[in-house]
Amino acid sequence: DLLMQVEGKPKCCFFKFSSKIQYNKVVKAQLWIYLRPVKTPTTVFVQILRLIKPMKDGTRYTGIRSLKLDMNPGAGIWQSIDVKTVLQNWLKQPESNLGIEIKALGENGHDLAVTFPRPGEDGL
């Protein structure tokens, strides 16, 4: 979907599940995201949004989780987020799986979540 792209690259992460796991009980589901390093102490607002079919008011997503993190200069960090309920719902209704959007905005407005490597960046 072109509406889910920025500069020709996906701005969402899509997960496809095998029909073999569809009927399994989900005990735990964690989504790990990597946040780029910062140069100064920064407060980061992380949002995980579930993409949905557009509603009449134009809404295309619902919130899954929001976190506020304080990052110090140095190496990037890994952050885990509980997505058990989302996964359970996707397995019950696979047609509702339109993907998720991950945002991690620093105080300067830059997105620190690595969902697609930038030029010169290694993939994860």
Side-chain angles (χ1 to χ4, degrees):
D1 185 345
L2 293 177
L3 293 175
M4 294 295 122
Q5 294 185 12
V6 174
E7 298 173 5
K9 296 178 180 135
K11 73 173 192 177
C12 66
C13 297
F14 183 76
F15 296 88
K16 186 173 183 171
F17 301 102
S18 162
S19 59
K20 293 177 184 177
I21 69 161
Q22 190 169 356
Y23 301 104
N24 288 328
K25 180 180 178 182
V26 177
V27 177
K28 184 177 181 180
Q30 297 290 126
L31 173 68
W32 286 86
I33 60 172
Y34 182 75
L35 303 177
R36 290 182 172 93
V38 294
K39 294 181 181 173
T40 60
T42 303
T43 300
V44 180
F45 297 93
V46 179
Q47 285 186 300
I48 307 297
L49 307 166
R50 183 173 68 92
L51 302 177
I52 59 174
K53 292 180 181 171
M55 297 172 66
K56 289 181 181 179
D57 67 358
T59 301
R60 294 186 59 94
Y61 57 85
T62 60
I64 295 173
R65 293 280 182 272
S66 295
L67 299 170
K68 179 181 171 185
L69 303 172
D70 292 320
M71 287 183 66
N72 292 316
I77 63 169
W78 284 97
Q79 178 64 48
S80 71
I81 297 170
D82 180 9
V83 291
K84 177 181 172 183
T85 303
V86 175
L87 181 57
Q88 287 172 325
N89 290 334
W90 279 345
L91 294 176
K92 286 178 194 169
Q93 298 175 319
E95 68 281 358
S96 72
N97 179 6
L98 301 180
I100 59 173
E101 185 174 345
I102 301 167
K103 294 180 181 182
L105 302 179
E107 295 165 350
N108 59 7
H110 290 113
D111 194 351
L112 299 173
V114 177
T115 55
F116 193 87
R118 293 179 180 162
E121 270 186 335
D122 290 332
L124 299 177

